Amino acid sequence: MTTCQKELNVEREGDMASTDLEDLCWHINSKISTVKKILQLRNIGQDPSLETVLGKIAEESHALHLLLNRLEREVQRQENLSNSLKELEISIKEDHMAAIHLKENIPPHLPKKTKNCAADLKAQSVETTRFEEHVPDKKPAKAKKPIKEMELITVQEFESIPAYMKNRLTYDQINSFIEEINKAVVGKYKILHQPPKSMSSNVRKLYYRFQEEETKDTKGQYFIVDQDIKEFTQLKVDKRFHGMLNILRHCQRLREVRGKGIVRYTIF
């Protein structure tokens, strides 16, 4: 080793020793400072005049500790609630999308609900009976007979109709036709269920025409004729109309009874 190298190593060792000595001095001074603070606090704690202040500081520290614990529990509860709400939001969005999908993809061949005149008539009969209970001198009112309506065809029945008979008619068109027929039936028999004295002259003419069209073959049954179709609906009695009737006969929804030059469409 050369003389220069030896001198350089001695200088490095001196620098390292100087640095270590400074760190050691800082460490010792820090410990001394800590000890002084402890002694000062110890002396303060022994001072009677500061005992009350220290007691209040201890109480405040304890209260602050309890408050921090409550705050921590509340933060945890809010986090759990936030996570639950996020899960609920995801679930609602999924249900919403499913509902939209169902709304946009409703099967077109679901049978529509027919108007239930029987329920309305039954309700009216119950109200009338309750009223009559308070009038003992009068005879109880007779319950009105429900008007029979034609049932809508099902998808299976529609599919069983021969193609030549359906032609280009759709499932919805046939059921719409049935609903129009039911309008005529209900319109006619609402008049027949009323007392003639309460009718206007025009309605009374219809009432008597309905009675004249009755035969022994239609007694106790519900039927309409072409004139009733024109009176109570917007349907046209044309080739398409009779094609629809053929389908309803095929599906056993009505039958024809002829007599006195009139065709009567009897409801099954």
Side-chain angles (χ1 to χ4, degrees), residues 110-150:
L110 287 177
K112 299 178 181 178
K113 186 177 180 181
T114 58
K115 296 180 180 178
N116 191 355
C117 295
D120 294 337
L121 290 172
K122 184 177 179 181
Q124 293 176 6
S125 176
V126 171
E127 292 298 326
T128 303
T129 303
R130 289 177 180 175
F131 176 78
E132 293 293 340
E133 289 176 354
H134 300 284
V135 187
D137 295 336
K138 293 184 179 181
K139 295 181 180 180
K142 294 182 179 179
K144 294 182 179 180
K145 188 176 180 181
I147 299 174
K148 184 176 182 180
E149 297 184 45
M150 191 184 306

Side-chain angles (χ1 to χ4, degrees), residues 1-115:
M1 181 179 297
T2 63
T3 303
C4 292
Q5 289 177 339
K6 289 180 179 180
E7 292 177 355
L8 182 60
N9 289 337
V10 170
E11 290 178 1
R12 288 178 178 176
E13 288 175 359
D15 293 339
M16 292 178 63
S18 176
T19 303
D20 293 341
L21 182 60
E22 290 176 358
D23 291 341
L24 180 61
C25 289
W26 180 87
H27 181 69
I28 292 172
N29 289 332
S30 177
K31 292 295 183 181
I32 291 172
S33 177
T34 303
V35 171
K36 285 182 179 180
K37 290 179 180 179
I38 292 173
L39 291 175
Q40 289 175 356
L41 291 173
R42 181 181 176 184
N43 292 332
I44 292 173
Q46 294 174 353
D47 188 350
S49 63
L50 299 176
E51 185 176 355
T52 303
V53 176
L54 292 174
K56 290 183 178 180
I57 293 174
E59 291 177 359
E60 292 295 333
S61 298
H62 180 69
L64 181 61
H65 179 71
L66 294 177
L67 181 61
L68 290 173
N69 286 339
R70 288 176 58 188
L71 182 61
E72 184 178 359
R73 289 195 298 270
E74 181 64 21
V75 169
Q76 184 63 41
R77 190 183 71 83
Q78 292 292 340
E79 287 181 354
N80 294 337
L81 180 60
S82 177
N83 293 333
S84 299
L85 289 175
K86 288 179 181 179
E87 294 176 359
L88 180 61
E89 181 182 13
I90 294 173
S91 177
I92 290 175
K93 286 182 178 179
E94 292 176 352
D95 292 343
H96 181 65
M97 295 302 296
I100 292 175
H101 177 75
L102 290 174
K103 182 180 178 181
E104 294 176 350
N105 295 274
I106 297 176
H109 301 310
L110 287 177
K112 299 178 181 178
K113 186 177 180 181
T114 58
K115 296 180 180 178

Side-chain angles (χ1 to χ4, degrees), residues 208-226:
Y208 291 128
R209 175 173 69 81
F210 298 154
Q211 286 191 329
E212 290 174 359
E213 292 168 351
E214 291 276 358
T215 67
K216 62 178 182 179
D217 295 326
T218 60
K219 187 176 182 180
Q221 301 184 38
Y222 288 85
F223 72 91
I224 55 175
V225 299
D226 290 344

